[in-house]
Amino acid sequence: MDLNLDAPHSMGTTIVGVTYNGGVVLGADSRTSTGMYVANRASDKITQLTDNVYVCRSGSAADSQVVSDYVRYFLHQHTIQLGQPATVKVSANLIRMLAYNNKNMLQTGLIVGGWDKYEGGKIYGIPLGGTVVEQPFAIGGSGSSYLYGFFDQAWKENMTKEEAEQLVVKAVSLAIARDGASGGVVRTVIINSEGVTRNFYPGDKLQLWHEELEPQNSLLDILNAAGPEPMAM
Amino acid sequence: MDLLKVNWGRRKHSLFYYLFLASKQLFPLDLYLFSPNPFRFDQPSSSSRLFDFGRMSQAGVDVPAKGGFSFDLCKRNDMLIQKGLKAPSFLKTGTTIVGLIFKDGVILGADTRATEGPIVADKNCEKIHYMAPNIYCCGAGTAADTEAVTGIFLSNIDMVSSQLRLHRYQTGRDSRVITALTLLKKHLFSYQGHVSAALVLGGVDITGPHLHTIYPHGSTDTLPFATMGSGSLAAMSVFEAKYKEGLTRDEGIKLVAEAICSGIFNDLGSGSNVDICVITKGHKEYLRNYMEPNPRTYVSSKGYSFTKKTEVLRTKITPLMERVEITEVGEAMEE
């Protein structure tokens, strides 16, 4: 068993970004692992860059946090100088510049999504190496391997906001079911002209998939039933 | 004069000769930021931190006055490793460190064992480091790294606690936990994980109570309860079972002590006593050795007593400096 607690903190992850008619929906799981130990089971992988642009982080936790911190700082300055909110394209480009120019040192894949008044909702995928690709939907992280076929079949143009969010939650929960490095809760962020909405779907409320069992005699039931001191000897 | 090329055949006492000469030389205060330390290991057997001069021992060789890292000692270390000399192990704090947020603030806890390989080097060390009056930080990993990165490390102004103090003077406000977090994260990230310090940072500032964990590579998490170190799994199991929001101060202390004890008894790298630090708005309490679940026991139930006191045979006091009496005569000096 490779319980290597000195391993760098990485986010196994499943991250997803989807455009719909009027904005974007970003989604991610919440598991951060150090080797085989789950260091944080409720992490927030969708971080804010500006009021209207968010980024989903995957790969090395430290690298992705540092990149998003720098880009948030640059975008803040840019917004002040420009006098209006930054566009999603500019945010994606700044991330790409950091990712590409430091490609030897960084190990992080990112999905930038947001809404601006010129282009509407846009998703840009920036995988390892620093390519930037504008896509109608993007997936990333170790759990994304299980979602390529799913999205080919399930994504369609001009979905509504509710359809898009359901699609994202379904996709992330399917990946969680199959990928060991993804788990926890599903977080989604919806960005459109009205603003930003964050949602939270706890892991035990997600739909069960093929061969998953209903919880029986779950520890969660015992803990909740017996009150605050369940383990009295 | 090649003082530094250690000749293997020499006996132990000549080591002191080297030290004596090395300490008399002047060594340059080079503060190169990114460099793995070429540790000196002269003694073949057990590790001895006394001789760990690092860069300072370049004394005997003519060091060119230009900047940059000198790799001479690295080559020497490689040669010694090839000859079979084992490098001394670092003093690690095996450790269980925990933190949790309760109703009024933050409680941090730590064990007190510092290990050097299989040996307990310090039975009662302090792992809860001061960062600011309202912010404390527990450290796991290499003891020197956690001390240096959090402390007031005089020769390198970089260190976070002193940076925070300068920032307080400059802004005129109390430090915020997020400031300490960013400074620590930047420092650790720039060393790419080579500074082996895993930290639990907690404090109460104007925006409320905060608890963060910081990993050696520079990534951070913000959590309501957190554990780090080799005993983190044991402590986390206690937290996961019993933590709930809105704990009172006594409940919180009891839970933290329980989590640390779980680490102390189930993890080989943690042991000895429990330290606790309670931080609330405007007030902090550092409960050093709050619990001592491993007291030293004696063979005899009465303990030991020494009836005959040490005899004083002779008393001789030699003043080191002559006392000079200065009498002011005349007027004060004028410029």
Side-chain angles (χ1 to χ4, degrees):
Chain A
M1 187 171 71
D2 183 21
L3 191 73
N4 181 12
L5 288 175
D6 295 327
H9 218 34
S10 90
M11 302 179 297
T13 309
T14 307
I15 49 174
V16 165
V18 153
T19 54
Y20 71 92
N21 188 10
V24 299
V25 181
L26 299 173
D29 73 308
S30 70
R31 181 173 285 186
T32 312
S33 44
T34 323
M36 281 290 135
Y37 176 63
V38 176
N40 188 352
R41 61 178 165 88
S43 47
D44 186 6
K45 301 181 190 179
I46 312 181
T47 45
Q48 181 186 22
L49 295 180
T50 72
D51 288 337
N52 53 320
V53 180
Y54 279 65
V55 63
C56 298
R57 304 179 286 111
S58 77
S60 156
D63 291 348
S64 64
Q65 282 180 3
V66 161
V67 166
S68 62
D69 284 347
Y70 269 117
V71 174
R72 191 183 309 122
Y73 165 63
F74 294 146
L75 280 176
H76 191 202
Q77 289 189 322
H78 173 69
T79 306
I80 292 171
Q81 288 172 347
L82 196 63
Q84 36 178 347
T87 59
V88 192
K89 188 182 266 192
V90 165
S91 320
N93 208 21
L94 282 169
I95 294 205
R96 187 265 301 174
M97 289 180 79
L98 280 176
Y100 179 75
N101 290 325
N102 297 298
K103 65 160 79 187
N104 296 326
M105 314 288 205
L106 292 175
Q107 197 175 32
T108 170
L110 301 152
I111 296 180
V112 181
W115 184 94
D116 58 53
K117 68 182 192 208
Y118 299 105
E119 305 253 346
K122 282 284 182 217
I123 293 276
Y124 292 86
I126 304 160
L128 257 55
T131 329
V132 64
V133 183
E134 199 263 300
Q135 298 168 303
F137 64 87
I139 52 180
S142 60
S144 65
S145 326
Y146 308 102
L147 296 177
Y148 284 100
F150 172 73
F151 267 97
D152 284 342
Q153 191 253 354
W155 188 83
K156 47 196 207 301
E157 283 214 38
N158 287 332
M159 286 188 285
T160 65
K161 183 170 75 158
E162 288 72 27
E163 279 179 340
E165 201 189 358
Q166 286 310 309
L167 178 66
V168 163
V169 173
K170 187 170 178 186
V172 179
S173 79
L174 279 169
I176 285 176
R178 285 291 180 181
D179 179 31
S182 304
V185 307
V186 180
R187 296 189 194 269
T188 62
V189 172
I190 309 174
I191 312 171
N192 51 30
S193 55
E194 280 126 44
V196 174
T197 319
R198 295 195 81 121
N199 287 324
F200 168 83
Y201 298 86
D204 54 352
K205 298 287 182 290
L206 296 174
Q207 186 183 347
L208 290 178
W209 302 111
H210 174 59
E211 286 184 357
E212 283 183 324
L213 299 167
E214 287 280 346
Q216 295 163 334
N217 295 326
S218 161
L219 198 58
L220 291 170
D221 297 328
I222 302 175
L223 280 177
N224 290 334
E229 288 287 326
M231 304 284 163
M233 278 286 165
Chain B
M1 196 166 39
D2 273 349
L3 280 181
L4 302 175
K5 296 274 188 315
V6 166
N7 184 343
W8 268 73
R10 300 274 175 104
R11 289 188 309 262
K12 227 187 187 184
H13 72 257
S14 62
L15 217 29
F16 293 98
Y17 178 67
Y18 286 25
L19 285 180
F20 170 69
L21 285 166
S23 61
K24 280 176 64 163
Q25 309 279 348
L26 297 167
F27 34 79
L29 275 179
D30 41 356
L31 306 174
Y32 308 114
L33 282 183
F34 182 78
S35 51
N37 229 342
F39 37 78
R40 263 196 81 102
F41 38 96
D42 293 297
Q43 280 196 315
S45 54
S46 68
S47 48
S48 176
R49 285 178 304 132
L50 290 173
F51 306 134
D52 213 353
F53 282 135
R55 264 194 304 279
M56 300 204 284
S57 320
Q58 290 175 18
V61 180
D62 276 339
V63 182
K66 62 183 192 316
F69 186 70
S70 164
F71 287 88
D72 297 338
L73 283 179
C74 293
K75 281 196 270 191
R76 176 187 159 274
N77 291 346
D78 285 335
M79 182 269 292
L80 287 172
I81 289 178
Q82 272 170 353
K83 292 218 175 146
L85 180 60
K86 196 170 78 68
S89 55
F90 299 103
L91 178 67
K92 291 179 84 72
T93 53
T95 309
T96 308
I97 48 174
V98 306
L100 64 71
I101 295 194
F102 72 109
K103 197 157 55 108
D104 306 319
V106 172
I107 305 180
L108 300 172
D111 74 304
T112 58
R113 175 182 283 184
T115 53
E116 200 167 337
I119 303 170
V120 175
D122 189 347
K123 287 183 281 195
N124 207 359
C125 71
E126 283 190 28
K127 300 186 190 180
I128 305 187
H129 308 290
Y130 166 90
M131 302 284 278
N134 55 331
I135 305 174
Y136 273 76
C137 185
C138 307
T142 308
D145 285 341
T146 56
E147 292 268 344
V149 84
T150 59
I152 307 182
F153 193 67
L154 290 172
S155 69
N156 189 344
I157 331 176
D158 249 28
M159 298 315 162
V160 179
S161 164
S162 39
Q163 282 178 309
L164 280 177
R165 189 185 284 209
L166 289 171
H167 194 247
R168 273 204 293 289
Y169 292 150
Q170 206 175 15
T171 56
R173 294 177 166 90
D174 285 337
S175 299
R176 299 193 184 191
V177 184
I178 197 94
T179 316
L181 181 73
T182 309
L183 290 168
L184 285 166
K185 167 205 271 244
K186 276 177 68 162
H187 184 89
L188 289 174
F189 182 77
S190 62
Y191 282 87
Q192 288 288 296
H194 289 285
V195 172
S196 168
L199 308 166
V200 171
L201 175 73
V204 180
D205 57 31
I206 194 75
T207 51
H210 296 278
L211 181 68
H212 303 281
T213 54
I214 308 159
Y215 289 80
H217 285 263
S219 59
T220 60
D221 285 316
T222 308
L223 295 162
F225 56 91
T227 66
M228 297 278 264
S230 57
S232 63
L233 270 62
M236 185 53 100
S237 62
V238 174
F239 274 168
E240 285 282 20
K242 299 193 180 181
Y243 178 83
K244 54 192 209 304
E245 282 188 26
L247 290 163
T248 64
R249 182 181 175 276
D250 291 327
E251 285 175 342
I253 291 181
K254 183 156 161 284
L255 186 57
V256 165
E258 210 176 319
I260 300 283
C261 282
S262 149
I264 285 174
F265 294 123
N266 299 88
D267 174 43
L268 297 178
S270 314
S272 300
N273 312 316
V274 179
D275 282 352
I276 295 205
C277 184
V278 185
I279 310 173
T280 53
K281 188 162 145 70
H283 179 65
K284 65 156 187 285
E285 251 182 280
Y286 184 45
L287 305 167
R288 169 83 173 138
N289 289 355
Y290 169 77
M291 208 199 252
E292 292 181 359
N294 298 304
R296 173 116 184 240
T297 50
Y298 291 94
V299 170
S300 150
S301 58
K302 284 192 309 224
Y304 292 104
S305 66
F306 300 93
T307 48
K308 183 179 173 195
K309 297 222 173 19
T310 312
E311 285 175 55
V312 177
L313 297 174
R314 184 167 60 105
T315 308
K316 178 181 169 191
I317 300 173
T318 316
L320 292 174
M321 287 193 296
E322 283 184 42
R323 295 209 56 153
V324 178
E325 288 287 330
I326 302 174
T327 45
E328 292 260 352
V329 179
E331 293 147 15
M333 281 200 291
E334 284 188 0
E335 294 204 3

